Amino acid sequence: MRYQGFVAAAVLAGSAFAVPAQAANEVVLNIFTGPRHHAALGMKWWAGEVAKVTEGRVTVKILPTSAAPPPKQMDGVVSGQFDAAYMFNGFTAKRAIGPQFSLLPFMLKANAETGSVAVWRTYQKFFASKKEFDKFGIHLLSIFHFPGNYFHSGDDTPITSIADMRKRKMWALAGTVSHVLKNAGVNHVSGPAARVNEFTQTNVVSGVAGLSYDGVRSFGALSFVKSTTVLDDKLMAPSFLFFISQKKWNSFSEADRKAITAISGETIAKIIGKNSDNAEASGRALLVKQNNKFIPGSAAFAAELQKAGAPLISGWIKQAKKLNVDGQAVIDFYKAEVAKISSGK
């Protein structure tokens, strides 16, 4: 009995010093478009896969509402407000040169899924080694595209030329679209897509440049649009960076970082791109249902826009030289990759 009592006491004493199971390393993910947006579907998939591939050592918590405005996603990660986020590349121009190639005029002549795969491959080939985000404490997880965008009229007169836009007050998506309209002498206000309804619902503007069909639906401009001018070559296809704080990334084991990398990059880019294309089809269907007019853009209109957009292309090529990168080679590779993927290769 004395022996059994001694053993029991020893077990109890040992349990007092037992090491508890390690708590999961939680990543707080912010989604500025909200958890119901089509991109959030891809992010939810990614969050679930992170837990699977790390066997629960890393988990992802998605915030129920955005904790920062669209242009402040990277600031939110850097400050530690949250650990990971994605952000429109138009808001990263002052931080990094490389990713801006994906926003140049008339780059993507394909759907978002194809563009998402091509943009990641191009970035990896030319810019991953440049480590432009290291100085900000950011680790890049992926880059992806949303579909190309259009010109939408809020009145009975379609937008078929730059002259048509000069006759009205326009809203333009910040970045490439806004710069092209400025070069063309078009009076406009610009901002993130998430705030377009502030201008369309109050009749501050009578035209919108830079929203896809899904963008019109998602951001509250559906009732505003009366006609849409469609160019075969889209003026711009929005691209986004998906990133995590370097501090949080470094807190994972090497094995977990490798596992998370495998489900990020091209994998998550392709998923979000495909989700974007599905949402785009739904957005167009809603515009058809409300009898929106779809106007084919003329070659003359496209030529006007290409002329206004040319300085952006030459300007970026000049900037790329600062990284010892041939900007034209980047553009050529990206377009060739888009064509290759589109052909099924």
Side-chain angles (χ1 to χ4, degrees), residues 106-127:
F106 302 105
M107 284 285 285
L108 180 60
K109 193 173 184 178
N111 60 22
E113 181 180 357
T114 295
S116 294
V117 173
V119 72
W120 178 248
R121 291 179 182 176
T122 305
Y123 182 86
Q124 288 299 100
K125 179 177 176 63
F126 291 95
F127 298 107

Side-chain angles (χ1 to χ4, degrees), residues 230-262:
V230 181
L231 293 166
D232 289 337
D233 290 341
K234 308 301 183 295
L235 177 56
M236 193 272 290
S239 67
F240 299 80
L241 297 179
F242 178 31
F243 47 87
I244 188 170
S245 79
Q246 190 67 56
K247 182 178 179 181
K248 174 61 72 171
W249 184 251
N250 291 344
S251 72
F252 307 151
S253 69
E254 183 177 351
D256 286 344
R257 288 197 296 267
K258 184 177 180 180
I260 294 170
T261 297

Side-chain angles (χ1 to χ4, degrees), residues 318-339:
K318 185 176 180 180
Q319 280 191 310
K321 289 182 180 178
K322 297 177 182 178
L323 299 176
N324 294 317
V325 171
D326 181 344
Q328 188 60 55
V330 174
I331 293 170
D332 292 343
F333 179 86
Y334 171 79
K335 290 185 176 181
E337 203 66 18
V338 167

Side-chain angles (χ1 to χ4, degrees), residues 200-220:
T200 57
Q201 300 305 311
T202 56
N203 296 318
V204 172
V205 298
S206 60
V208 166
L211 284 188
S212 63
Y213 300 135
D214 176 65
V216 168
R217 178 193 63 80
S218 295
F219 301 118

